[in-house]
Amino acid sequence: MNHDENLTVLGKLVMGASGMAINALAVITSMQEQIEWGFRIFSLVIGIAVGLLTIWSLLKKKPK
């Protein structure tokens, strides 16, 4: 008797989902340095944008 014949539909779904999750985790782990670099650059860009908007807002409110 084949092992696949004993698995239910739910069992097959769980095996498929866990296989996909393990593969995704492997990709994330191998690309961890690049992902961290991207997050750092993204946070830097957001910080600069917030700073520029704050300066713009302060200059706009300045009395003439």
Side-chain angles (χ1 to χ4, degrees), residues 6-55:
N6 293 333
L7 289 177
T8 62
V9 173
L10 180 60
K12 290 179 182 179
L13 287 174
V14 168
M15 285 182 61
S18 63
M20 288 177 11
I22 289 171
N23 286 334
L25 184 61
V27 168
I28 290 171
T29 302
S30 66
M31 296 182 66
Q32 185 175 0
E33 188 175 340
Q34 290 84 0
I35 292 171
E36 181 182 352
W37 181 83
F39 280 141
R40 287 183 184 206
I41 296 298
F42 179 71
S43 66
L44 175 66
V45 169
I46 294 297
I48 290 171
V50 168
L52 290 174
L53 288 173
T54 303
I55 291 171

